[in-house]
């Protein structure tokens, strides 16, 4: 048997990512989307594949250096519609017959297209579309806005490279969004494409963004989610379900009660609409559980089907396989008596079944796994799912919702993983003095090293309202292959352990979460005596970067740290980031006020205590945690003459580690790995100069 290769940063180039599944109308075939990296182009390609629900050899449907996605089946199952950039790298809707032939382009639009859905009679396709704005060119003497827009559009067609605008005239509160940069003036609207004539018409209008629509079984109505309040930007957590006639008309709000409502799914007979949401009028960031609800399309109060269930009905798994995506819609059983949804629980994402009339939710799946998507149809008993675990980067599978049995149909990474030293972590729990337990995992380096002392790196997840768990994490495997023990856990503030556990850090970031993490490290050192307590590292991204900054400002037990896309000052984060919601429910005050709580909870307050060598990794186009956060920390530590280095990534967003330019993703992993090798490997760490202990260790400085 050939020797397994270590997992390296460059292993990323060979990974394949399963991004979506769609079950055929007869329930016999699964259409799935695979994203891969083209190293020569330093970018991504995504292609569509087909496999039988009974197994067999998958069939590739699309080819070339293109991005193909948002696929949807025609009602007769003979063709699919999808979005592709195969022509001039401009996304359009295409139709492909599964009986053979070339894909037929159906649209000629200039903007973003998403969320395709066929009408039940197969004559139309609904989709969400946001047109591109003409470039801002200034108020030229004698110019006419309409003429200027026409000229700008003609100029764009003549030139391959889009010219940057002369200026950006901003009037909205929510004017930017990470991964999208500054938002255009145009909004996402629901459109209908008449397949026979090619006519495209908008179904919605107005100064609001509209999510993808879902057709009623009789084809007369569409339901979608949107925030259509007059001052929508000032109510960022509001989302309602809206019903609109397929022929056009004024949308009707089905869920005017407080709280978000999203991801709708019609019952097979059209009498009910299931959706995800909660009834929080104002709540801390993601602290209140998301539940499964139903509402009648004829109106009336919505009903929470799981009011006593203390978990969130969403996939909230943290991983570097993908950026976060829209929550999948609930799936009705063919007879309409049961609704299936995904639930984040104890480091896994499981399938649950809930009676449509209400009742006790039943967990269908078992073991440590992450279901990233699930799809079902009226004529099929089984579901199509994307399944992951610690050593599986994504499989297309058949799931029997009555037994929980999962049968793998396609695993794009199978051959690659047979050649790599992929490790499975060991799970353990730590009981805390307050009575709660924290779930933890330890990933060991490949091979057996008796009698050798090992360095360990503590990895801290972002969010904070997500969970680490049973899902492949490339970064962790890279560090383990480099000889590090990798510890990861879900301290208080994480999802998956109940609402009280999640709410524990509200008004107290850096409090209960810090306590939990330090106790987790203590327990890891007790359980694994081969770890050298003098060779500890810590890293994390986003909120995990916040906690990394917090930790090195409150203890000197770590020999090296790397903070990624981090936060150092909550006030500047909230005022310069893409957050437009109320900060009071999470932090107790507005960021422009001189609140002692903001100072208490901001790592920059404790910057003079930081003596741990620190690597700062940040993206220049990060609009979630703007680069000023990194710059404040770097400049402060440089002025203090501390050991600090900073690496900035041009053109990248907050999601660099999950979906950024491949070469920069690999470079980031090299910087991270080499930093810890330099400071934590015994042969190099012994040469490190002794550091002065941080002041007031462990100095929590809580002002309760």
């Amino acid at each position: 048997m050939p020797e397994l290769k270590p997992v390296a940063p460059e292993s990323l180039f060979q990974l394949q990512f399963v991004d979506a599944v769609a079950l055929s109308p007869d329930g016999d075939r699964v259409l799935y989307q695979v994203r891969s990296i083209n190293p020569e182009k330093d970018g991504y390609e995504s292609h569509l594949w087909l496999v039988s629900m009974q197994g067999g050899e998958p069939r590739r449907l699309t080819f070339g250096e293109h991005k193909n996605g948002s696929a949807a089946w025609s009602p007769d199952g003979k063709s699919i519609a999808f979005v592709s950039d195969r022509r001039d790298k401009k996304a359009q809707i295409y139709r492909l017959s599964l009986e053979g032939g070339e894909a037929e382009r159906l649209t000629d639009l200039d903007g973003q297209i998403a969320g395709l859905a066929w009408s039940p009679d197969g004559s139309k396709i609904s989709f969400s579309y946001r047109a591109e704005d003409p470039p801002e060119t200034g108020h030229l003497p004698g110019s006419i806005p309409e003429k200027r827009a026409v000229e700008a559009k003609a100029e764009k067609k003549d030139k391959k490279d889009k010219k940057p605008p002369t200026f950006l005239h901003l009037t909205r509160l929510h004017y930017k969004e990470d991964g999208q940069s500054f938002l255009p003036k145009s909004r996402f609207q629901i459109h209908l494409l008449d397949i026979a004539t090619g006519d495209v018409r908008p179904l919605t209008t107005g100064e609001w963004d509209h999510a993808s629509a879902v057709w009623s079984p009789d084809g007369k109505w569409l339901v979608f989610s949107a925030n259509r309040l007059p001052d929508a930007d000032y109510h960022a957590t509001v989302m309602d379900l809206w019903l609109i006639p397929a022929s056009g008309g004024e949308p009707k709000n089905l869920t005017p009660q407080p709280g978000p409502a999203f991801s709708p799914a019609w019952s097979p007979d059209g009498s009910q609409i299931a959706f995800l949401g909660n009834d929080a009028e104002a709540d801390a960031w993601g602290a209140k559980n998301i539940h499964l609800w139903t509402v009648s399309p004829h109106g009336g109060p919505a009903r929470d089907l799981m009011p006593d269930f203390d978990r969130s009905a969403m996939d909230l798994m943290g991983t570097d396989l993908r950026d976060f995506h829209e929550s999948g819609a609930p799936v009705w059983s063919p007879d309409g008596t049961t609704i299936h949804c995904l639930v984040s629980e104890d480091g896994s994402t499981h399938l649950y079944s809930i009676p449509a009339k209400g009742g006790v939710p039943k967990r269908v799946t078992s073991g440590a796994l992450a279901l990233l998507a699930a799809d079902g149809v009226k004529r099929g008993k089984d579901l199509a799912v994307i399944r992951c675990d610690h050593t599986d980067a994504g499989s297309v599978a058949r799931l029997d919702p009555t037994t929980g049995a999962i049968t793998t149909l396609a695993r794009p990474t199978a051959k690659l993983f047979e050649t790599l030293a992929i490790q499975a972590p060991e799970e353990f729990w730590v009981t805390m003095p307050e009575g709660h337990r924290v779930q933890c995992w330890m990933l060991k380096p490949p091979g057996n090293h008796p009698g050798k002392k090992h360095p360990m790196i503590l990895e801290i997840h972002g969010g904070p309202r997500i969970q680490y768990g049973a899902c492949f994490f490339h970064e962790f495997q890279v560090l383990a292959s480099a000889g590090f023990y990798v510890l990861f856990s879900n301290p208080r503030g994480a999802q998956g352990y109940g609402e009280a556990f999640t709410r524990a850090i509200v008004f107290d970031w850096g409090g209960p979460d810090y306590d939990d993490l330090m106790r987790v490290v203590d327990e890891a050192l007790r359980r694994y005596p081969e770890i050298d307590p003098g060779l500890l590292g810590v890293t994390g991204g986003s909120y995990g970067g916040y906690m990394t900054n917090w930790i090195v400002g409150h203890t000197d037990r770590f020999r090296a740290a790397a903070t990624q896309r981090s936060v150092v000052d909550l006030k500047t984060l909230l005022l310069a980031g893409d957050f437009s919601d109320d900060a009071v429910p999470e932090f107790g005050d507005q960021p422009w006020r001189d609140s002692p709580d903001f100072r208490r909870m901001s790592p920059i307050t404790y910057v003079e205590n930081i003596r741990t060598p620190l690597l700062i990794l940040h993206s220049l186009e990060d609009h979630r945690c703007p680069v000023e956060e990194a710059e404040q920390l770097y400049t402060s530590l440089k002025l203090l003459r501390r050991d600090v280095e900073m690496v900035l990534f041009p053109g990248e967003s907050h999601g660099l580690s999950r979906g950024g330019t491949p070469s920069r993703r690999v470079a980031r992993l090299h910087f991270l790995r080499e930093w810890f090798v330099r400071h934590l490997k015994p042969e190099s760490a012994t040469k490190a100069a002794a550091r002065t202990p941080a002041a007031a260790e462990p100095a929590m400085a809580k002002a309760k």
Side-chain angles (χ1 to χ4, degrees):
M1 182 176 178
E3 183 178 354
L4 297 177
K5 296 181 293 185
V7 181
E10 287 77 12
S11 302
L12 177 74
F13 291 134
Q14 298 172 278
L15 289 179
Q16 297 187 72
F17 312 91
V18 183
D19 287 337
V21 288
L23 196 54
S24 63
D26 58 9
D28 289 342
R29 295 163 293 170
V30 187
L31 182 67
Y32 62 98
Q33 179 181 328
V34 177
R35 177 168 43 95
S36 59
I37 291 172
N38 184 330
E40 293 183 0
K41 299 287 186 179
D42 200 15
Y44 298 89
E45 298 172 2
S46 54
H47 290 287
L48 302 176
W49 293 71
L50 194 64
V51 68
S52 168
M53 283 285 275
Q54 305 309 313
E57 190 68 23
R59 172 188 167 195
R60 184 170 175 172
L61 299 178
T62 60
F63 300 85
E65 297 177 351
H66 309 300
K67 294 178 181 177
N68 305 279
S70 297
W73 288 89
S74 64
D76 61 9
K78 294 181 179 180
S79 61
I80 60 170
F82 62 99
V83 178
S84 178
D85 65 355
R86 60 187 58 204
R87 181 180 174 183
D88 301 326
K89 297 298 179 182
K90 187 176 172 183
Q92 301 295 344
I93 299 176
Y94 288 78
R95 177 175 55 180
L96 177 66
S97 170
L98 297 181
E99 297 174 354
E102 291 292 322
E104 173 191 6
R105 184 167 61 88
L106 300 180
T107 59
D108 184 15
L109 299 171
D110 195 8
Q112 290 181 261
I113 301 171
L116 310 189
W118 292 72
S119 62
D121 65 2
S123 66
K124 296 179 178 62
I125 295 174
S126 66
F127 59 99
S128 186
Y129 171 63
R130 181 171 69 187
E132 283 197 6
D133 288 346
E136 302 275 14
T137 56
H139 298 282
L140 303 177
S143 66
I144 302 172
E146 291 80 3
K147 180 182 178 183
R148 198 164 66 244
V150 171
E151 291 173 347
K153 188 171 183 180
E155 181 182 8
K156 184 181 176 186
K157 285 187 176 181
D158 292 339
K159 295 187 177 181
K160 185 176 181 180
D161 296 327
K162 181 181 178 182
K163 287 186 176 181
T166 304
F167 57 81
L168 293 172
H169 183 191
L170 305 173
T171 58
R172 293 181 59 184
L173 169 63
H174 186 59
Y175 62 91
K176 65 178 180 178
E177 197 165 308
D178 189 69
Q180 300 187 52
S181 191
F182 294 93
L183 297 176
K185 291 182 173 61
S186 59
R187 304 297 186 93
F188 277 106
Q189 306 291 351
I190 306 300
H191 284 65
L192 292 184
L193 163 66
D194 187 301
I195 296 175
T197 65
D199 179 57
V200 173
R201 64 181 177 92
L203 202 60
T204 61
T205 58
E207 297 297 312
W208 306 286
D209 286 307
H210 301 78
S212 305
V214 185
W215 292 84
S216 62
D218 62 9
K220 296 180 179 179
W221 304 90
L222 293 103
V223 65
F224 58 88
S225 57
N227 179 351
R228 291 174 59 95
L229 291 175
D231 55 350
D233 280 2
Y234 294 86
H235 303 276
T237 60
V238 171
M239 188 69 70
D240 289 307
L241 296 190
W242 296 81
L243 188 72
I244 192 169
S247 57
E250 189 65 23
K252 172 187 176 183
N253 190 351
L254 297 178
T255 56
Q257 67 273 6
F262 53 94
S263 298
W266 291 86
S267 63
D269 63 2
S271 65
Q272 293 288 312
I273 299 171
F275 65 94
L276 303 178
N278 64 35
D279 58 1
E281 188 163 3
D283 191 45
W285 297 348
K288 186 170 179 61
N289 288 328
I290 295 294
H291 280 175
L292 177 67
W293 296 63
T294 55
V295 67
S296 168
H298 304 295
R303 182 185 182 194
D304 184 351
L305 298 186
M306 47 202 310
D308 301 321
F309 187 67
D310 195 18
R311 295 291 186 273
S312 264
M314 291 178 66
D315 164 35
L316 295 167
M317 185 66 70
T319 173
D320 57 1
L321 292 175
R322 60 183 177 127
D323 216 334
F324 285 103
H325 52 71
E326 292 184 5
S327 298
V331 179
W332 289 82
S333 63
D335 61 6
T337 62
T338 305
I339 309 172
H340 310 295
C341 65
L342 301 181
V343 171
S344 295
E345 181 177 41
D346 294 352
S348 288
T349 307
H350 286 290
L351 185 78
Y352 268 76
S353 295
I354 300 94
K357 294 183 178 180
V360 178
K362 174 188 174 184
R363 196 173 88 177
V364 175
T365 51
S366 59
L369 81 166
L371 298 178
L372 306 185
D375 191 38
V377 293
K378 187 175 180 179
R379 292 163 57 190
K381 177 180 73 72
D382 292 340
L383 307 182
V385 299
I386 301 174
R387 181 197 180 280
C388 290
D389 62 32
H390 291 293
T391 60
D392 182 357
S395 296
V396 180
R398 183 180 76 247
L399 192 158
D400 184 336
T402 60
T403 67
I406 298 177
T407 304
T408 299
L409 304 175
R411 187 183 178 196
T413 58
K415 290 184 178 179
L416 171 65
F417 278 23
E418 289 174 359
T419 69
L420 298 177
I422 304 293
Q423 301 298 105
E426 298 174 358
E427 178 185 333
F428 63 96
W429 293 73
V430 181
T431 300
M432 301 298 176
E434 296 85 354
H436 65 283
R437 297 197 306 157
V438 171
Q439 190 177 16
C440 313
W441 296 266
M442 182 67 81
L443 189 66
K444 294 182 178 181
N448 185 24
H449 309 279
K452 181 181 178 181
K453 283 290 187 177
H454 289 269
M456 184 188 80
I457 298 172
L458 171 66
E459 284 267 9
I460 308 172
H461 68 63
R465 274 71 192 238
I466 66 167
Q467 62 171 3
Y468 273 156
C471 193
F472 179 81
F473 213 112
H474 180 235
E475 178 181 312
F476 296 178
Q477 297 286 342
V478 168
L479 293 175
S481 279
F484 299 102
Y485 275 55
V486 181
L487 172 65
F488 54 106
S489 65
N490 289 324
R492 279 175 288 180
Q495 273 283 1
Y497 306 91
E499 199 167 299
F501 189 95
T502 304
R503 285 187 180 278
I505 67 169
V506 173
F507 307 150
D508 200 11
W509 281 34
D513 38 8
Y514 175 82
D515 291 343
D516 283 358
L517 287 167
M518 293 304 98
R519 293 164 183 164
V520 163
V521 172
D522 292 340
E523 178 62 19
L525 294 175
R526 188 190 70 80
R527 285 175 175 264
Y528 299 92
E530 66 271 29
I531 295 174
D532 188 336
L535 297 176
L536 302 181
V538 58
T539 188
S542 195
Y543 165 79
Y546 165 92
M547 282 308 303
T548 300
N549 298 337
W550 182 272
I551 285 170
V552 296
H554 288 77
T555 179
D556 66 347
R557 72 186 302 181
F558 295 91
R559 188 177 288 273
T563 184
Q564 308 175 53
R565 56 192 183 279
S566 75
V567 177
V568 296
D569 190 333
L570 290 173
K571 294 178 70 171
T572 55
L573 168 78
L574 294 166
L575 292 173
D578 63 354
F579 304 91
S580 59
D581 43 345
D582 192 352
V584 173
E586 183 70 39
F587 299 110
D589 207 345
Q590 296 293 5
W592 55 82
R593 298 184 183 130
D594 190 22
S595 165
D597 287 333
F598 277 104
R599 293 197 301 274
R600 172 178 58 86
M601 290 186 285
S602 292
I604 197 68
T605 302
Y606 314 97
V607 70
E608 291 185 48
N609 293 345
I610 299 177
R611 299 183 183 275
T612 304
L614 183 64
L615 174 67
I616 301 172
L617 301 170
H618 217 102
S619 296
L620 285 174
E621 295 299 320
D622 189 334
H623 292 295
R624 183 64 37 83
C625 300
V627 70
E628 298 87 63
E629 297 296 304
E631 292 173 315
Q632 291 181 69
L633 183 58
Y634 179 75
T635 301
S636 299
L637 291 174
K638 276 295 182 185
L639 288 171
L640 289 165
R641 298 183 181 274
R642 303 292 159 78
D643 187 355
V644 60
E645 297 179 15
M646 183 164 66
V647 181
L648 301 178
F649 296 92
E652 300 297 337
S653 71
H654 193 69
L656 166 64
S657 65
R658 307 180 288 261
T661 305
S663 62
R664 293 192 183 114
R665 290 179 68 178
V666 169
R668 184 192 72 88
L669 289 169
H670 272 288
F671 277 111
L672 188 66
R673 184 182 66 178
E674 268 71 78
W675 178 260
F676 285 123
V677 166
R678 188 199 315 174
H679 290 280
L680 298 185
K681 281 305 183 81
E683 57 272 18
S684 58
T686 53
K687 300 176 184 178
R691 302 191 315 278
T692 304
E697 205 300 315
M700 283 294 294
K702 293 182 189 176
K704 291 185 177 179

